[in-house]
Amino acid sequence: MRKGKNALNEIMSPVAGKIKLAVVLSGLGALCKVSAFIAFALAIEALSRDEMNFTFLGAAFAFIFTEMLLRTISLGVSHKAAFKLEQILRMRISANVAAIPYGETLNLGTGKIKKIMLDDVKNLHAYVADTTPSIGSVSVAPIASFAALAWFDWRLFLVASAMFLLGVVTISFAFKDNAKYQERYNNNQAKINASIIEFVQAMSVVRTFNSGENTFKRYDDALRDYADGLREWLSFSSVPSRLGFAALSPVPTYLALGIFAAIFYLNGSLNLGDLTGAMLTGTALVGCFMPVMMLRNFIMKSKISAESILNFLSIPALPVCPSPKEPASSDVEVKNVNFKYPNAIEPALKNVNFKADTGSVTALVGASGAGKSTAAMLLARYYDVSEGEILIGGVNVKEIAPRNLTNLISFVFQDTFLFNESIYENIAKAKPNADKEEIIAAAKAANIHEFIKSLPKGYDEIVGERGAKLSGGQKQRIAIARAILKDAPIIILDEPTAFVDPQSEEQIVKAVSNLIKNKTVIVVAHRLSTIKNADRILVFANGEIVESGAHDELISLEGAYAKLWRDFEQTQIWNVRR
């Protein structure tokens, strides 16, 4: 794990040259500003002797103009660097999302990924665009101002130094554990992001089952943790930070310089030119105090964002075989597979073995958490197995190029995802270069064509976010049309009829029948009636296959499958009683 400054330097390395240029230009601008104050002071000192020194006045105006020009160029350079860095980071993060095992993205969750891709990148954009130029100015301006102040009057230099040290010592207490509180703040913010997404997506359930606080427990807990952390942070740092910022604000330093400068001037130990120079350079000096403190906060926040992004980018991509092989068929074989999820204690699968021949239908059944969905995900290489191997056409899935593996397998989930685009575009995702006739043929095979034609815009109808304008059965048939268009030789079905009404189920079953013709089919079954005619049924329990065979054979064994079947039959005959 990269930490602190190293993480920030590493994340900014693609635009380091532009950032350094912005810092140098800003620093030169700050030097010009202090030089302008010195030139003005010298011009006023000449006036106090009844002399008009146009050289000093001209130099002062030239320095001011140069400072404005350098500051403008510096900001332009830093903003271009920020936009470039933002583009690079978003591309790298997007590429890593696609490259890492799909299971890793599920573990991270949408809230965490959203924070990394949007919030953390936005923090770094703001840092590079607006803060890096400040590094140059706040580094050069205090040194130049202190030097100029010491040159004008060493006593006023000591006064300004004392005020600065007082503010720094006081505010250091406010920043004592700032990194710890900032990290806690960011983690709580990620939890809120995840809970808000969950809350919005579950709105229909929330409105149906208005169970009050229990319904929003995760959201409520996230808000409470966020508020508690922020309250603790503020209570710890509020008094020292207020005292420190008060000491570092311009007024106390101006007041101290003004009082002592007046005393020295009145007793004749300070001339008008030096007094003016001290007050003007004091202006540049006190103008740096607050930015220095704010800069520290921005840097700390940016370091945490940089660490978050780099930690995500350090997640290993799914290994790619340097010499990929082509499967000879669409036969699927699982040999001695053991698998444990990352950070899990118990294995999810233990010594799993089975074979699914081309043209066959293999059903995976079992109680929730038995391992059947995990086995299906491993076939598509959402994770790599811990031990054993999975073969397609005699080739280990690890030795098949990722794009080829994707082309070999179609996955139809029970929770269908549709993009907020037209029906045509959603179906065409499977084959972007497909012509209209192919799209329509796939829709007809999925028993959804007539419904699409009845819509006002037909295939150009926008389905809404996640297909919100369509019913569950309609979304499922569009997903099946997408799979039919892809025409992959291996089909994995995560019970597509799990949550639909009987009429939709009948249409989906017909669509699935068209989808699986001459394919190798793996079905994760919840409704056992849909897999009664499967060539082979595998019964999972506690991550192991405990029974295997056809329906009638398994029923006759009076074992685990027979019990599942009896339980299933009972659910089909229950009545709602008042």
PDB file of all heavy atoms in Angstrom, residues 276-287:
ATOM      1  N   THR A 276       6.756  52.153   5.332  1.00  0.00           N
ATOM      2  CA  THR A 276       5.885  51.756   4.211  1.00  0.00           C
ATOM      3  C   THR A 276       6.280  50.391   3.677  1.00  0.00           C
ATOM      4  O   THR A 276       5.432  49.525   3.411  1.00  0.00           O
ATOM      5  CB  THR A 276       5.974  52.792   3.085  1.00  0.00           C
ATOM      6  OG1 THR A 276       5.646  54.086   3.608  1.00  0.00           O
ATOM      7  CG2 THR A 276       5.025  52.452   1.949  1.00  0.00           C
ATOM      8  N   GLY A 277       7.576  50.178   3.507  1.00  0.00           N
ATOM      9  CA  GLY A 277       8.055  48.894   3.004  1.00  0.00           C
ATOM     10  C   GLY A 277       7.691  47.755   3.931  1.00  0.00           C
ATOM     11  O   GLY A 277       7.281  46.671   3.486  1.00  0.00           O
ATOM     12  N   ALA A 278       7.825  47.983   5.251  1.00  0.00           N
ATOM     13  CA  ALA A 278       7.501  46.943   6.223  1.00  0.00           C
ATOM     14  C   ALA A 278       6.016  46.590   6.173  1.00  0.00           C
ATOM     15  O   ALA A 278       5.637  45.412   6.225  1.00  0.00           O
ATOM     16  CB  ALA A 278       7.890  47.406   7.630  1.00  0.00           C
ATOM     17  N   MET A 279       5.156  47.615   6.073  1.00  0.00           N
ATOM     18  CA  MET A 279       3.721  47.356   6.039  1.00  0.00           C
ATOM     19  C   MET A 279       3.309  46.665   4.730  1.00  0.00           C
ATOM     20  O   MET A 279       2.446  45.787   4.725  1.00  0.00           O
ATOM     21  CB  MET A 279       2.940  48.659   6.225  1.00  0.00           C
ATOM     22  CG  MET A 279       3.138  49.324   7.591  1.00  0.00           C
ATOM     23  SD  MET A 279       2.795  48.225   8.997  1.00  0.00           S
ATOM     24  CE  MET A 279       1.037  47.945   8.787  1.00  0.00           C
ATOM     25  N   LEU A 280       3.927  47.069   3.612  1.00  0.00           N
ATOM     26  CA  LEU A 280       3.585  46.439   2.336  1.00  0.00           C
ATOM     27  C   LEU A 280       4.049  44.989   2.274  1.00  0.00           C
ATOM     28  O   LEU A 280       3.309  44.096   1.834  1.00  0.00           O
ATOM     29  CB  LEU A 280       4.199  47.244   1.179  1.00  0.00           C
ATOM     30  CG  LEU A 280       3.539  48.593   0.858  1.00  0.00           C
ATOM     31  CD1 LEU A 280       4.339  49.335  -0.199  1.00  0.00           C
ATOM     32  CD2 LEU A 280       2.105  48.379   0.378  1.00  0.00           C
ATOM     33  N   THR A 281       5.282  44.742   2.709  1.00  0.00           N
ATOM     34  CA  THR A 281       5.760  43.346   2.707  1.00  0.00           C
ATOM     35  C   THR A 281       5.020  42.527   3.756  1.00  0.00           C
ATOM     36  O   THR A 281       4.825  41.312   3.585  1.00  0.00           O
ATOM     37  CB  THR A 281       7.273  43.280   2.958  1.00  0.00           C
ATOM     38  OG1 THR A 281       7.594  44.034   4.146  1.00  0.00           O
ATOM     39  CG2 THR A 281       8.049  43.823   1.786  1.00  0.00           C
ATOM     40  N   GLY A 282       4.597  43.209   4.819  1.00  0.00           N
ATOM     41  CA  GLY A 282       3.756  42.538   5.805  1.00  0.00           C
ATOM     42  C   GLY A 282       2.453  42.073   5.188  1.00  0.00           C
ATOM     43  O   GLY A 282       1.911  41.021   5.549  1.00  0.00           O
ATOM     44  N   THR A 283       1.960  42.864   4.224  1.00  0.00           N
ATOM     45  CA  THR A 283       0.735  42.483   3.515  1.00  0.00           C
ATOM     46  C   THR A 283       0.935  41.173   2.772  1.00  0.00           C
ATOM     47  O   THR A 283       0.084  40.277   2.812  1.00  0.00           O
ATOM     48  CB  THR A 283       0.340  43.582   2.507  1.00  0.00           C
ATOM     49  OG1 THR A 283       0.141  44.799   3.204  1.00  0.00           O
ATOM     50  CG2 THR A 283      -0.908  43.211   1.753  1.00  0.00           C
ATOM     51  N   ALA A 284       2.069  41.070   2.067  1.00  0.00           N
ATOM     52  CA  ALA A 284       2.364  39.830   1.345  1.00  0.00           C
ATOM     53  C   ALA A 284       2.573  38.680   2.314  1.00  0.00           C
ATOM     54  O   ALA A 284       2.186  37.535   2.038  1.00  0.00           O
ATOM     55  CB  ALA A 284       3.616  40.017   0.485  1.00  0.00           C
ATOM     56  N   LEU A 285       3.159  38.986   3.478  1.00  0.00           N
ATOM     57  CA  LEU A 285       3.464  37.954   4.450  1.00  0.00           C
ATOM     58  C   LEU A 285       2.195  37.367   5.061  1.00  0.00           C
ATOM     59  O   LEU A 285       1.985  36.153   5.053  1.00  0.00           O
ATOM     60  CB  LEU A 285       4.361  38.520   5.550  1.00  0.00           C
ATOM     61  CG  LEU A 285       4.839  37.539   6.612  1.00  0.00           C
ATOM     62  CD1 LEU A 285       5.707  36.467   5.989  1.00  0.00           C
ATOM     63  CD2 LEU A 285       5.614  38.290   7.696  1.00  0.00           C
ATOM     64  N   VAL A 286       1.329  38.243   5.587  1.00  0.00           N
ATOM     65  CA  VAL A 286       0.126  37.736   6.255  1.00  0.00           C
ATOM     66  C   VAL A 286      -0.830  37.091   5.256  1.00  0.00           C
ATOM     67  O   VAL A 286      -1.652  36.244   5.621  1.00  0.00           O
ATOM     68  CB  VAL A 286      -0.593  38.859   7.035  1.00  0.00           C
ATOM     69  CG1 VAL A 286       0.303  39.415   8.113  1.00  0.00           C
ATOM     70  CG2 VAL A 286      -1.057  39.977   6.103  1.00  0.00           C
ATOM     71  N   GLY A 287      -0.706  37.488   3.974  1.00  0.00           N
ATOM     72  CA  GLY A 287      -1.546  36.863   2.955  1.00  0.00           C
ATOM     73  C   GLY A 287      -1.168  35.431   2.682  1.00  0.00           C
ATOM     74  O   GLY A 287      -1.924  34.694   2.033  1.00  0.00           O
TER      75      GLY A 287
END
